[in-house]
Amino acid sequence: MAKKNIAEPEALGQAMNKTELFFENNGRKVTYIFLALLALGLAIYAYRALVVSPRVEKAAALLSEAQARFNAETPDYELALVGDANGAGFLDVIDSYGSTPSGNLAKHYAGICYLHNGDLESAADYLKKFSCVKGEAGALINAQNYGLQGDIAVDKGEYKAAVALFEKASEAAENNLTAPLYLRKAAQAEQAQGNTEAAIELYERIKAEYPASMEARDAEKMLGAIR
């Protein structure tokens, strides 16, 4: 045991000597690496403070201008989409600030505007570009986005794709209002392609999971009609 106690300090001393020797031989290199990492950290901070933050604020301001047209008592969807000299449109926000949260939301709004204007292809394109967002309010937007894509798929006769999108919409916001609505749409899309058993399963799911919803009463009627 005594030999072990003597050996341990000796080994520790050797390790310290090696460390000192390393820094003596490579000290300048280590310093350069440290300074490089420090400079990188400062650059990231400066980018976020001087570039990202102002971009996010500017994007939010432009989005607000487009939303004002979109939410007007008499909405002008074309003007909300393209903007004019008096204010930005959703496409302006996307073109200049597409990578910001406001730019992402503008893609969803642009899809709705195209849908109102009857351009289903452009509507589908922009709705697909939208990335799901977090939070309770975000969940409702996510559900609406999937649901609108499902509606477009139904209009095109693409019922299998519509079912998948409506089921995603129901899962995005699991509440008594929107979830059973999208499950009903999924069931109807299954019926449209002759999948009666799949439709029955969806109607039964509405009754079991959302018994207090209006769709639950409709589901009972639909089950009586197709069984």
Side-chain angles (χ1 to χ4, degrees):
M1 294 295 293
K3 291 182 179 180
K4 187 176 180 180
N5 290 337
I6 294 172
E8 285 181 352
E10 288 179 353
L12 180 60
Q14 289 175 2
M16 291 178 65
N17 288 337
K18 288 180 181 179
T19 303
E20 290 172 0
L21 183 60
F22 172 82
F23 278 103
E24 184 177 335
N25 293 334
N26 301 279
R28 184 173 297 179
K29 185 185 295 185
V30 172
T31 300
Y32 287 156
I33 293 172
F34 172 76
L35 291 176
L37 291 173
L38 179 61
L40 178 61
L42 291 173
I44 293 172
Y45 174 79
Y47 176 75
R48 289 177 176 173
L50 302 177
V51 179
V52 175
S53 183
R55 277 176 58 81
V56 168
E57 293 176 4
K58 181 62 176 177
L62 294 181
L63 180 68
S64 179
E65 294 174 5
Q67 284 176 318
R69 275 99 178 255
F70 184 90
N71 295 321
E73 187 174 344
T74 305
D76 188 331
Y77 295 111
E78 182 65 20
L79 188 59
L81 183 65
V82 301
D84 62 8
N86 296 317
F90 294 121
L91 294 183
D92 294 320
V93 183
I94 295 168
D95 290 342
S96 299
Y97 305 100
S99 61
T100 66
S102 294
N104 181 47
L105 189 56
K107 296 169 187 174
H108 176 70
Y109 276 109
I112 298 175
C113 288
Y114 276 120
L115 195 57
H116 277 288
N117 292 341
D119 187 345
L120 297 186
E121 293 300 326
S122 295
D125 184 43
Y126 277 92
L127 288 170
K128 287 178 184 176
K129 291 179 180 179
F130 171 78
S131 298
C132 290
V133 294
K134 297 179 180 180
E136 188 173 341
L140 293 174
I141 295 172
N142 299 339
Q144 183 188 48
N145 185 275
Y146 284 128
L148 290 174
Q149 290 188 62
D151 290 337
I152 293 172
V154 167
D155 195 78
K156 292 180 177 180
E158 299 170 355
Y159 298 114
K160 184 177 180 180
V163 170
L165 288 163
F166 288 138
E167 289 185 335
K168 283 184 177 181
S170 70
E171 293 167 0
E174 296 181 336
N175 57 66
N176 284 316
L177 182 62
T178 63
L181 168 65
Y182 292 124
L183 287 175
R184 177 173 61 80
K185 288 190 174 189
Q188 291 171 330
E190 290 285 21
Q191 282 184 264
Q193 55 186 331
N195 296 334
T196 303
E197 290 303 317
I200 289 174
E201 288 181 10
L202 286 166
Y203 286 129
E204 291 287 5
R205 182 179 167 189
I206 293 171
K207 288 176 56 183
E209 297 181 14
Y210 306 98
S213 67
M214 294 180 61
E215 283 73 19
R217 284 174 286 179
D218 292 338
E220 188 67 45
K221 295 176 183 177
M222 293 304 299
L223 286 169
I226 63 177
R227 275 176 168 164

